[in-house]
Amino acid sequence: MNEQEKERLDQQFDFFREIDREKFIGRQTYLSDGMRKENDAEHAWHMAIMTLVLSEYANEKIDVLRTISMLLIHDLVEIDAGDTYAYDEEGKKTQAERERKAADRIYGILPEEQGRKLYELWLEFEERKTPEAKFARVMDNIQPIMLNAATDGKAWKEHGVKLSQILGRNAHTADGSKLLWEYAREYFINPNLEEGRIQDDREE
């Protein structure tokens, strides 16, 4: 191998070692047995497989590989920025700036054209405009809802989550898949609302 090939491979393996740190970024969602919380890497793996299986329910035809790629890389910024809980209003005020700086650094480890490609993919996810980004958002929203339902609302109860918060978080979920949002609302959210695991603030 020549020096240019070695330099490129060095950058790529530097990136691989760096993103191993995603496995240490804890989330607030419990695994299905309710014993521990998932990490970012587990979350990404789960959404990637969900996309492979559920892509038929996208409102518009999507490039499945592009959507999976987006889901696998979009949370790498949390290596620097940390996980911002969906209902942490204070944390969300600085989230965009923290994650942008992280994206500059982390994707910048790669060879320039590869780093730029991943950065643009991350931006596409953040902007939620393409069919792929809209469906990726469906996965990012519904995966934790599914696990919250599987654990009898354990994290919802711990954080005192209200129905209005969940509906606000999912205001655009139907933009990517009306059917999957309808299913999640009927079979994951409503039963937990009825059982009091989600605070019903509709009359407040």
Side-chain angles (χ1 to χ4, degrees), residues 118-131:
L118 294 196
Y119 189 94
E120 289 172 356
L121 202 57
W122 173 74
L123 281 179
E124 182 179 339
F125 176 85
E126 291 298 309
E127 291 171 353
R128 316 180 200 192
K129 293 178 181 177
T130 65

Side-chain angles (χ1 to χ4, degrees), residues 29 32 46 50 54 87 138-154 156-157 161 163 166-167 170 173 179-199:
T29 307
S32 57
H46 214 170
M50 287 172 65
L54 298 174
Y87 308 115
V138 175
M139 298 296 96
D140 199 30
N141 289 342
I142 287 182
Q143 188 263 357
I145 289 176
M146 174 189 69
L147 288 180
N148 270 299
T151 56
D152 294 330
K154 187 171 182 177
W156 283 331
K157 289 186 290 186
V161 173
L163 178 63
I166 296 173
L167 297 182
N170 287 277
T173 300
L179 186 64
L180 289 177
W181 171 237
E182 180 183 336
Y183 183 89
R185 180 91 188 255
E186 184 169 352
Y187 297 105
F188 297 151
I189 296 172
N190 288 347
N192 282 279
L193 184 65
E194 291 167 6
E195 292 295 326
R197 298 162 184 156
I198 299 167
Q199 293 183 22

Side-chain angles (χ1 to χ4, degrees), residues 72-124:
L72 289 173
I73 64 97
H74 85 277
D75 273 343
L76 294 179
V77 295
E78 294 185 359
I79 290 169
D80 288 356
D83 175 62
T84 302
Y85 183 48
Y87 308 115
D88 177 3
E89 298 306 320
E90 195 61 34
K92 284 193 282 189
K93 292 176 182 177
T94 61
Q95 182 179 6
E97 180 61 19
R98 284 184 284 115
E99 293 187 350
R100 186 194 61 76
K101 288 180 180 177
D104 286 339
R105 186 190 75 80
I106 294 166
Y107 302 132
I109 295 171
L110 283 165
E112 185 178 355
E113 87 286 353
Q114 286 189 326
R116 183 169 61 251
K117 182 178 179 181
L118 294 196
Y119 189 94
E120 289 172 356
L121 202 57
W122 173 74
L123 281 179
E124 182 179 339

Side-chain angles (χ1 to χ4, degrees), residues 29-104:
T29 307
Y30 283 91
L31 299 179
S32 57
D33 66 357
M35 298 302 293
R36 72 168 175 85
K37 295 174 180 178
E38 68 175 357
N39 64 51
D40 267 0
E42 291 167 329
H43 174 59
W45 163 84
H46 214 170
M47 292 187 296
I49 294 181
M50 287 172 65
T51 299
L52 197 61
V53 175
L54 298 174
S55 59
E56 63 187 284
Y57 304 112
N59 291 345
E60 305 169 78
K61 184 174 176 60
I62 61 169
D63 180 330
V64 174
L65 179 58
R66 184 174 186 82
T67 308
I68 288 174
S69 300
M70 197 178 295
L71 288 166
L72 289 173
I73 64 97
H74 85 277
D75 273 343
L76 294 179
V77 295
E78 294 185 359
I79 290 169
D80 288 356
D83 175 62
T84 302
Y85 183 48
Y87 308 115
D88 177 3
E89 298 306 320
E90 195 61 34
K92 284 193 282 189
K93 292 176 182 177
T94 61
Q95 182 179 6
E97 180 61 19
R98 284 184 284 115
E99 293 187 350
R100 186 194 61 76
K101 288 180 180 177
D104 286 339

